[in-house]
């Protein structure tokens, strides 16, 4: 079992935007030194406390500050982007760090209705579906599109390519990824449904046994009951349900009000608590072992729900593969 980090680049407590981005870099360097396999950064727009608007920029920057860890987008929100250009960007980045660049692609807008409208205002009304756009992106990277002899994303696509991942939270997304031979990252930190996780993982592996099935979940080290209580109180969520049944989670009342103000439809709002794997190192590892025993999971990806840089670092250090996985393989744990 291998461990990864998902960093959404939040604005940290008592930190400026520049300082918070600096912590994104420092956390990547820490994860690199501690044996983590992948470090992904996300794409969000017009969000009050998330500042990673351009994962292609952050990925390029991070590969220059790390040595061994895979650096990736988790993910590029393809509904806002031209598939050919995304393929070009990540092929170019892959030339800069062969074998270390991962391209995760997601379907969600990753922002408010206003930012989505701004990002997509020049798109034609008959835009292809997400699945069709994803397949175009993959064909450009693989060189299997219909004009592959004359239309290329690079003069060299043989020496290195970005490794492609589809991000999703449903059975249909997992099946689509498996049928098209790409790795899949299941957003368990959004769904938090263990029966669904088990179903999705089994379906993916039955269709694509050689693909990587990664489970992204929320973890936070909390050494005492008081720490657990504090973490739970700080991680209140608001669940927004739209007319078409789609849901979105935000973390502040301001974000709720922004969505309601900028939407023409009725939105149902429910305040909830974030589902986390919260506890000591042994408590968290025991839970991960249980999930891995129940489902064919290849890797875990940790989302760390804290704005305290010291606690974020502590969680990454405490769960580090060099302290856990590597010792376990050697029979020490």
């Amino acid at each position: 079992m291998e461990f990864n980090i998902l960093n959404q680049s939040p604005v940290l407590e008592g930190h400026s935007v520049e300082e918070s981005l600096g912590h994104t870099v420092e956390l990547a360097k820490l994860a690199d030194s501690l044996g983590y396999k992948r470090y992904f950064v996300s794409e969000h727009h017009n969000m009050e406390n998330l500042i990673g608007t351009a994962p292609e920029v952050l990925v390029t920057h991070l590969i220059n500050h790390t040595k061994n860890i895979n650096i990736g987008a988790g993910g590029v929100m393809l509904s806002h982007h031209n598939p050919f250009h995304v393929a070009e960007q990540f092929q170019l980045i892959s030339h800069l760090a062969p074998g270390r660049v991962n391209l995760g692609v997601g379907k969600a807008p990753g922002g408010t209705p206003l930012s989505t409208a701004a990002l997509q205002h020049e798109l034609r009304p008959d835009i292809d579906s997400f699945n069709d756009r994803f397949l175009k992106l993959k064909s450009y990277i693989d060189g299997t599109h219909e004009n592959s002899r004359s239309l290329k994303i690079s003069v060299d696509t043989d020496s290195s390519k970005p490794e492609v991942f589809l991000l999703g939270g449903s059975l249909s997304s997992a099946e689509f990824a498996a049928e098209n031979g790409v790795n899949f990252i299941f957003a368990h930190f959004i769904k938090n449904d263990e029966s669904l996780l088990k179903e999705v993982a089994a379906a993916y592996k039955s269709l694509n046994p050689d693909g990587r099935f990664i489970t992204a979940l929320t973890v936070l080290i909390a050494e005492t009951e008081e720490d657990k209580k504090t973490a739970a109180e700080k991680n209140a969520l608001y669940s927004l349900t739209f007319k078409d049944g789609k849901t979105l989670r935000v973390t502040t009342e301001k974000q709720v009000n922004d969505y309601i103000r900028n939407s023409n439809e009725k939105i149902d709002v429910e305040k909830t608590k974030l589902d986390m794997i919260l506890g000591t190192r042994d408590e968290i590892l025991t839970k991960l072992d249980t999930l891995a025993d129940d489902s064919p999971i290849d890797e875990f990806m940790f989302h760390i729900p804290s704005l305290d840089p010291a606690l974020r670092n502590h969680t990454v250090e405490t769960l580090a593969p060099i302290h856990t996985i590597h010792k376990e393989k050697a029979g020490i744990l």
Side-chain angles (χ1 to χ4, degrees):
M1 189 65 60
E2 292 175 294
F3 291 174
N4 313 301
I5 302 295
L6 169 63
N7 190 346
Q8 294 184 333
S9 297
V11 179
L12 302 175
E13 292 175 350
H15 286 60
S16 67
V17 168
E18 290 82 2
E19 291 167 340
S20 298
L21 285 173
H23 183 264
T24 292
V25 177
E26 292 306 312
L27 198 65
K29 292 165 66 175
L30 180 63
D32 191 18
S33 71
L34 294 174
Y36 285 88
K37 183 172 185 178
R38 310 180 200 276
Y39 186 90
F40 276 31
V41 290
S42 60
E43 176 182 348
H44 289 92
H45 301 281
N46 197 34
M47 302 296 282
E48 183 180 9
N49 58 349
L50 300 178
I51 50 181
T53 56
E56 69 278 8
V57 174
L58 275 177
V59 168
T60 306
H61 187 64
L62 290 168
I63 62 173
N64 289 313
H65 288 81
T66 53
K67 296 178 180 179
N68 300 305
I69 194 168
N70 286 13
I71 302 294
V76 170
M77 300 295 102
L78 194 57
S79 60
H80 305 321
H81 303 285
N82 180 290
F84 182 78
H85 190 42
V86 173
E88 279 188 318
Q89 288 176 330
F90 277 83
Q91 179 62 67
L92 177 60
I93 300 170
S94 184
H95 287 320
L96 297 172
R100 290 181 54 213
V101 177
N102 294 168
L103 170 56
V105 178
K107 185 176 183 178
T112 65
L114 280 179
S115 62
T116 297
L119 287 160
Q120 298 182 7
H121 83 282
E122 292 179 334
L123 296 179
R124 67 180 194 273
D126 61 337
I127 187 173
D128 294 335
S129 69
F130 172 81
N131 285 6
D132 288 338
R133 289 164 68 80
F134 182 83
L135 292 178
K136 282 184 178 180
L137 169 65
K138 183 176 182 293
S139 72
Y140 291 137
I141 291 174
D142 294 342
T144 57
H145 57 288
E146 60 182 14
N147 296 322
S148 60
R149 295 187 66 179
S150 55
L151 178 63
K152 301 179 183 297
I153 58 173
S154 172
V155 296
D156 173 18
T157 56
D158 294 326
S159 62
S160 67
K161 293 181 181 180
E163 190 172 3
V164 179
F165 298 75
L166 178 65
L167 284 58
S170 68
L171 177 62
S172 60
S173 293
E175 290 174 336
F176 176 73
E179 289 164 356
N180 288 285
V182 297
N183 306 301
F184 187 67
I185 301 178
F186 180 67
H188 186 59
F189 70 98
I190 295 176
K191 295 289 184 176
N192 289 297
D193 182 335
E194 291 186 21
S195 62
L196 178 62
L197 168 61
K198 186 174 182 179
E199 179 185 14
V200 169
Y204 177 85
K205 281 297 188 178
S206 70
L207 294 169
N208 186 17
D210 295 329
R212 304 296 289 177
F213 185 89
I214 301 176
T215 300
L217 35 71
T218 301
V219 303
L220 193 65
I221 292 293
E223 304 289 355
T224 68
E225 291 303 316
E226 186 63 29
D227 290 341
K228 293 178 183 179
K229 181 181 178 181
T230 300
E233 291 173 349
K234 285 187 174 182
N235 283 282
L237 291 173
Y238 297 88
S239 178
L240 310 183
T241 302
F242 298 88
K243 184 170 59 178
D244 61 2
K246 292 182 179 178
T247 61
L248 177 72
R249 298 191 313 177
V250 297
T251 57
T252 68
E253 288 188 28
K254 182 179 183 301
Q255 290 172 322
V256 173
N257 293 332
D258 286 345
Y259 269 93
I260 293 174
R261 185 174 60 254
N262 296 312
S263 177
N264 294 322
E265 64 177 276
K266 182 178 182 297
I267 302 175
D268 293 325
V269 180
E270 180 184 4
K271 187 174 181 179
T272 62
K273 289 184 178 181
L274 178 65
D275 287 321
M276 296 180 280
I277 302 179
L278 187 64
T280 64
R281 183 190 73 169
D282 289 345
E283 288 172 332
I284 291 176
L285 293 178
T286 297
K287 180 60 178 180
L288 296 180
D289 284 342
T290 300
L291 291 175
D293 287 342
D294 291 341
S295 302
I297 298 169
D298 296 300
E299 304 173 24
F300 286 111
M301 181 168 282
F302 300 149
H303 167 242
I304 304 170
S306 174
L307 302 181
D308 178 354
L311 181 54
R312 293 170 71 82
N313 288 356
H314 179 56
T315 298
V316 169
E317 290 169 343
T318 303
L319 297 175
I322 63 169
H323 302 318
T324 56
I325 299 170
H326 297 175
K327 289 185 178 181
E328 183 177 359
K329 288 180 179 177
I332 299 172
L333 289 179

